[in-house]
Amino acid sequence: AQSVAQPEDQVNVAEGNPLTVKCTYSVSGNPYLFWYVQYPNRGLQFLLKYITGDNLVKGSYGFEAEFNKSQTSFHLKKPSALVSDSALYFCAVRDTPYTNAGKSTFGDGTTLTVKP
Amino acid sequence: DAGVTQSPTHLIKTRGQQVTLRCSPKSGHDTVSWYQQALGQGPQFIFQYYEEEERQRGNFPDRFSGHQFPNYSSELNVNALLLGDSALYLCASSLEDYNEQFFGPGTRLTVL
């Protein structure tokens, strides 16, 4: 079975400081990994994904994430946080075997608050 | 280019009733997935449709059923509603199975 853990319910950072939102995963095969952001009363928006290749993935709005196979982690990062980055962030994983096709598992989310 | 659209936006039902939620995928997308997002939790996978067939299903009872039409739009049906079915129901579309999903704004279902 596949699973995702986001160990922090909330992350608080000051504007201009770097931010990290943590994600660890468990799959039986090779993972497809995703980060999504959700603003109040809206659906999820895609930020970035790791399928294969370089471990450092760059995405929308200046976000990036680092895939670490040995630590089974896919932490979301941004060098300089903005107040407008404040939102709910979800990590998701898909296992690659076809028998699991389509089933994405999401973490419970991390609320990021960036203070001016 | 319209993104993923869902209807209705909000819905209030009573226990035991049945409900149908609708989703139109992003133009060009052929795969539709449905998720239930309870308050304070991440989306939980209900099922996915591709080529008008249910390809994968999450841990949801048979009261949850769906359909995909030839134009790739989809419906989620829930029978015999329970209070615990109150949640935000999200539809997501994608092209190819491993690509990112595009989510609709969701349908907020309240069961009284």
Side-chain angles (χ1 to χ4, degrees):
Chain A
Q2 58 193 36
S3 65
V4 174
Q6 293 182 242
E8 301 159 316
D9 291 336
Q10 188 138 1
V11 171
N12 298 311
V13 297
E15 188 174 32
N17 283 358
L19 69 87
T20 299
V21 182
K22 296 179 180 179
C23 171
T24 58
Y25 66 89
S26 174
V27 296
S28 57
N30 293 317
Y32 295 155
L33 293 157
F34 305 85
W35 275 102
Y36 292 86
V37 59
Q38 187 175 33
Y39 296 99
N41 300 316
R42 295 177 67 175
L44 280 68
Q45 296 177 30
F46 168 77
L47 281 179
L48 50 78
K49 68 180 178 183
Y50 172 83
I51 302 297
T52 187
D54 289 341
N55 290 339
L56 185 63
V57 178
K58 293 187 182 298
S60 306
Y61 313 119
F63 284 94
E64 57 188 29
E66 185 168 10
F67 171 64
N68 188 316
K69 188 173 183 178
S70 63
Q71 297 185 3
T72 61
S73 67
F74 189 57
H75 301 331
L76 181 69
K77 300 181 180 183
K78 187 173 183 181
S80 179
L82 301 173
V83 172
S84 57
D85 292 330
S86 298
L88 183 57
Y89 290 81
F90 290 99
C91 180
V93 67
R94 267 257 292 111
D95 203 346
T96 50
Y98 185 74
T99 52
N100 268 337
K103 183 176 181 178
S104 292
T105 299
F106 284 76
D108 285 336
T110 298
T111 299
L112 172 66
T113 301
V114 182
K115 297 182 178 180
Chain B
D1 176 27
V4 180
T5 59
Q6 292 186 244
S7 64
T9 306
H10 296 87
L11 205 52
I12 299 175
K13 293 285 188 179
T14 57
R15 283 178 297 174
Q17 285 188 311
Q18 178 266 343
V19 67
T20 297
L21 310 181
R22 295 176 176 81
C23 170
S24 292
K26 181 177 171 62
S27 178
H29 285 185
D30 56 7
T31 303
V32 173
S33 301
W34 286 93
Y35 293 86
Q36 181 194 67
Q37 185 178 18
L39 201 61
Q41 295 183 17
Q44 301 292 314
F45 177 78
I46 303 175
F47 41 54
Q48 184 185 80
Y49 278 85
Y50 173 71
E51 292 188 343
E52 302 180 51
E53 290 192 1
E54 183 181 292
R55 179 160 65 176
Q56 183 75 1
R57 188 179 182 91
N59 296 323
F60 280 81
D62 292 344
R63 298 187 297 109
F64 290 77
S65 64
H67 189 76
Q68 186 178 35
F69 299 94
N71 66 353
Y72 305 120
S73 67
S74 177
E75 289 182 348
L76 164 64
N77 300 293
V78 187
N79 294 323
L81 284 168
L82 304 174
L83 296 179
D85 295 332
S86 296
L88 180 67
Y89 287 85
L90 296 168
C91 171
S93 72
S94 61
L95 180 62
E96 301 291 346
D97 190 42
Y98 53 82
N99 277 331
E100 64 271 23
Q101 295 177 319
F102 288 75
F103 284 81
T107 294
R108 174 73 62 185
L109 173 64
T110 302
V111 182
L112 302 177

